[in-house]
């Protein structure tokens, strides 16, 4: 679940739509940093490597999973806003031109 940890829990959440864009507003029990979806290591994790960026997904409070490269985060204190922006132009072109990748 996005943003939770050993001491941080979800207090409340809401799913809304803003100009056709799905927005999740999630409130936590303590301040939450903006999630970082980049790999920490150049060569991947010691457990066998990292998940390719196109395959990374985040799980939201209602169980919906979104591709990590299609969301935008905005953290403010104990509130995290997650916007589902949809696939980028680059990703759509890559899928159309190179479907085997």
């Amino acid at each position: 679940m996005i943003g939770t940890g050993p001491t941080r829990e979800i207090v409340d959440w809401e799913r809304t739509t803003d100009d056709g864009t799905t927005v999740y507003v999630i409130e936590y029990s303590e301040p939450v940093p903006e999630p970082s979806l980049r790999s920490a290591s150049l060569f991947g994790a010691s457990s066998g490597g990292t998940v390719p960026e196109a395959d990374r997904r985040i799980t939201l409070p209602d169980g919906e999973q979104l591709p990590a490269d299609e969301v935008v985060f905005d953290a403010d204190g104990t509130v995290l806003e997650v916007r589902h922006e949809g696939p980028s132009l680059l990703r759509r072109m890559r899928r159309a031109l190179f479907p085997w990748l």
Side-chain angles (χ1 to χ4, degrees), residues 27-66:
E27 184 178 353
Y28 294 91
S29 58
E30 59 185 48
V32 62
E34 260 185 45
S36 172
L37 300 175
R38 299 282 179 230
S39 174
S41 169
L42 179 62
F43 299 106
S46 63
S47 63
T50 59
V51 176
E53 186 171 347
D55 295 339
R56 293 183 194 160
R57 302 184 75 70
I58 61 164
T59 304
L60 296 160
D62 62 356
E64 184 172 359
Q65 292 189 350
L66 300 174

Side-chain angles (χ1 to χ4, degrees), residues 2-79:
I2 188 166
T4 57
T7 60
R8 186 182 312 121
E9 298 177 359
I10 294 176
V11 175
D12 192 20
W13 67 274
E14 174 184 23
R15 178 183 175 169
T16 61
T17 303
D18 183 21
D19 291 331
T21 302
T22 302
V23 179
Y24 286 84
V25 179
I26 308 168
E27 184 178 353
Y28 294 91
S29 58
E30 59 185 48
V32 62
E34 260 185 45
S36 172
L37 300 175
R38 299 282 179 230
S39 174
S41 169
L42 179 62
F43 299 106
S46 63
S47 63
T50 59
V51 176
E53 186 171 347
D55 295 339
R56 293 183 194 160
R57 302 184 75 70
I58 61 164
T59 304
L60 296 160
D62 62 356
E64 184 172 359
Q65 292 189 350
L66 300 174
D69 61 349
E70 294 183 10
V71 295
V72 176
F73 302 104
D74 183 30
D76 184 21
T78 60
V79 177

